[in-house]
Amino acid sequence: MARPNEDVEALLQEYADLIAITGGDAFKARAYEKAARAIGGHPGDVSRLDVAGLKEIPNVGTSIAEKVVEYVRTGRVEAVEESRARIPAGVRQLIAIPTLGPKKALTLYEDLHISSVDELADAIRAERLRGLKGFGEKTEQNILHGIDLMRQAGGRILLSTAAEAAEEIVAGLSRIPGCEQCAHAGSLRRMRDSIGDLDILVAADRPAPFMEALTELPSTAEVIAHGQKKTSVRTVKGVQVDLRVVRRDSWGAALQYFTGSKAHNIRTRTIAVRQGLKLSEYGLFGARGGRRVASRSEEEVYARLGLPWIPPALREDRGEIEAAQRGELPEVVTEADIRGDLHTHTDLTDGLAPLEEMVAAAARRGYAYYAVTDHAPNLYMQRMTDEKILAQREQLRALDGERRMRLLHGTELNIGPDGEVDWPDAFLAGFDLCVASVHSHFGLDRRAMTRRLVRACENPHVNIIGHPTTRLIGRRPGIDVDLDEVFAACARTGTALEVNAQPDRLDLGDEDILRARSHGAKFAINTDAHSIPHLAYLRYGVGTAQRGWLTPEDVVNTWPLRRLRGFLRKHPGG
DNA sequence: GCCGTTTTCGGCCCGACTGTTTTCAGTCG
């Protein structure tokens, strides 16, 4: 089984949804949700555990442990199958629509026999929802808007989903004899925030074994096209994968070509033409004689065009060609530059792992420092208190310095509608750093929202604006705010903007980062980890930062601790 | 369904907001 923890998490979440839709015990549904999250966030491989081992995971009891074992052994769970038989899959799709939950979904199914998003959209247009209990005009509009949002995502998948699928496929194909090189290309290699399909590239003499292998992978659900040079499949998770096999001596040109972007490639091909050359996926050729002048590596291809190698994340024709020609390409930040994570949670609030386990996992990543920033009291459901956070601080101080990693005690404050935060100044002064984020009142008008965020920046204790736009990719647009004013305020006050690495956030996104950087703002690339596996999401944040042209100088958590502490004091020039 | 120095039953993160109601259900964080 490929990604057992994620598979099990998805299955239990589905069961929780089905229980909720069928009007089952809400607490039972929540129990499955909690178990799903716990298993998704469990660092070990759950497919290797027996019932007793599984029960040691918090929120997993006998019943769920037995279902997990049943799933690992047989690939299915009888109880889930029974629920699936009662509720069509399309009904479950309905609750993915923002503002539409399980209760409304069941009403739509029972009263109007609606069992897909398309049917729902049609029914609203045909005014079939009129008179349905609990459905008014505004509800119809909200649902239609939610459906629009979903469709805008256009079947694109999250960066993390794409990366995990690609790595699995690359690993599988790399094992085949005759594989000289294998890698992913396309928008995944450029680390876009969502991915349409996967491009996998192999260098080998004989394409056939690789084409065959792709169609036979356990993750392959459907073969879309199966040819000599290209094979396309759809995975069980609905991701389209295009595989191309090239000869080894074309590897560099092919990788460059299939990495894109299209706009970047148009520029490189134009440069080739001006030099009397022709660039294709097979190589860089003399236009007349067709003699191959470069193709083995990307470096060689770029060099022959008079350019340094350009990091994939920059290849969007957003000025990287010109910068490269001037010799002014940014030395973009890499994962190795990051010295610590400045936004993380523990099980004191909604994280899964206790403090000492999160700290140990962070230390294993080789960080020089690490900040714990659990939620503040105004996120009421987390039930934070002064006593709890102070007790955590003591516990954290006791762990400080183990394995040479320094610990910072922080919190994630809630920015209220007026820009105020949870605690008074005197209490905030006790933290090493404060992240402040918008978690409510998403609908303020632009002026109020802008004033709100600027006020947060002006708070002398607020060091980082967490997930600044609060967008959720494919689910919720960012808040309506004058970002330029916020970015200017960040630069003026010494408040960093977060590049939140959670794959469904990636917030700020690349274009906003570029704008913020032009204001002179600083950044912090943070995982917002709620479990140990989340610490590895850092790479998606780094990729996003690279797309925003950030260098280590721009990113405060690449700095040595001493310099970071100076920044956290927010004194001008500090 | 999970959990327990309030334990084997009876709770379960709590409150705000929205839209539909006419006193509250549903959804969200």
Side-chain angles (χ1 to χ4, degrees), chain A residues 261-289:
Chain A
S261 66
K262 188 169 277 181
H264 175 89
N265 284 355
I266 289 171
R267 297 294 308 278
T268 52
R269 268 177 269 153
T270 306
I271 292 171
V273 169
R274 293 215 181 108
Q275 298 180 9
L277 301 167
K278 183 171 75 87
L279 179 60
S280 75
E281 62 264 52
Y282 300 106
L284 189 58
F285 299 90
R288 297 274 160 75

Side-chain angles (χ1 to χ4, degrees), chain A residues 394-425:
Chain A
E394 253 182 64
Q395 197 191 350
L396 176 136
R397 298 292 184 227
L399 294 168
D400 185 24
E402 275 181 32
R403 305 198 213 195
R404 291 200 297 277
M405 186 176 79
R406 299 304 307 271
L407 295 175
L408 302 173
H409 192 233
T411 180
E412 182 181 13
L413 300 166
N414 304 286
I415 306 176
D418 55 1
E420 291 301 307
V421 296
D422 307 61
W423 276 301
D425 279 353

Side-chain angles (χ1 to χ4, degrees), chain A residues 94-100 142-143 145-147 149-150 474-476:
Chain A
L94 299 181
I95 69 172
I97 299 169
T99 73
L100 207 168
N142 287 341
I143 292 174
H145 182 243
I147 293 174
L149 266 179
M150 285 174 68
R475 284 193 290 149
R476 184 173 75 199

